[in-house]
Each structure stands twice: as C-alpha cells, then as structure tokens.
Amino acid sequence: MRTICLTLVLASAAACQVPGLAAVDAGGCEEGNPDEERRGTDCLCCHEEFGIAGTFSRESVPPRWVKVRDATGAVFTMGLNTHGNFFHFTKVTPPIEAWTEDADGGVLNRMQARVAESSCNRCHREGGEAGGLVY
C-alpha cells in the first residue's frame, strides 16, 4: 500500500493552495527538496493525480503560461507557482505538443515534436536527454 508523504502534502497544500493535494510515495521517486516542492524531480512519480507537470529552471526567463495540446485537441493552460512548478489535474491523451506563452499570448518556445510523455521533468531536466527550459 502506498503511503502519503506528509511533508509534501503540507508543502504542496500551502504553496499551491490546493486543498487535499497529496503526494504518494510510489517508491523509487527522487527525494528532491521538500522546501521547494521537490522542484525538478519527476512530478508524476509521486503525484498520480496530475495529468501534466514540470518545473522551469531558475536560469530561464519564466513564461506566463505553459500550454499543452493532446491528441484529442484539448488545450491545457498552466501557470507557474513560486517554485517554478506547473501542473494540471486532467489526464491527457498522447501524443502531446507543448509551448510557452508570455502574458500577451505570444509564443516564446514550442517543442519541435509531439511526445508521449506528460511528466516534463523526465526529459527536460539537468542532465536529462532533452535538457532545456524545464528542470
């Protein structure tokens, strides 16, 4: 049986202001810094309730919005919290495409290919295969 990571529950609920937001200890998930909501780790490893999630690096200029379109044509819009994390509770249908926008809706960056993965930090992270803006 999976156990609730109390530290992350409290940090997530306080920082995200989402009542009942819980992280599940799925085993094998990276520890990360609980004071920063484990920024840069694989969000979907612990947060099974998320459909999409990731983290922007401190070195990049943060976008106003992160947007994802899935295979059904549904578009999911996410802002960043104080730790640079973004997430959406709706499950997506792969493949997905993703892009970032500024406050005026101008596209800042767009992924060049559609992908099956909706846990952005699995590929976009420090030392990850895609590197780049998210980690």
Side-chain angles (χ1 to χ4, degrees), residues 41-101:
T41 63
D42 180 353
C43 308
L44 298 185
C45 185
C46 291
H47 285 285
E48 295 175 342
E49 72 274 23
F50 293 167
I52 309 163
T55 307
F56 265 79
S57 79
R58 290 187 176 100
E59 289 76 37
S60 66
V61 176
R64 177 64 179 108
W65 305 111
V66 176
K67 293 194 173 185
V68 169
R69 179 180 294 119
D70 76 359
T72 70
V75 175
F76 306 93
T77 301
M78 299 159 281
L80 278 62
N81 67 15
T82 58
H83 299 291
N85 295 325
F86 57 91
F87 56 90
H88 203 284
F89 289 99
T90 306
K91 302 298 182 189
V92 298
T93 304
I96 62 171
E97 60 181 305
W99 66 97
T100 58
E101 293 182 356

Side-chain angles (χ1 to χ4, degrees), residues 4 27 29 35 62 67 79 96-97 104 119-120 122 127 129 134:
I4 295 177
C29 294
D35 293 334
K67 293 194 173 185
I96 62 171
E97 60 181 305
D104 297 324
S119 185
C120 305
R122 286 185 188 161
E129 67 183 66
V134 182

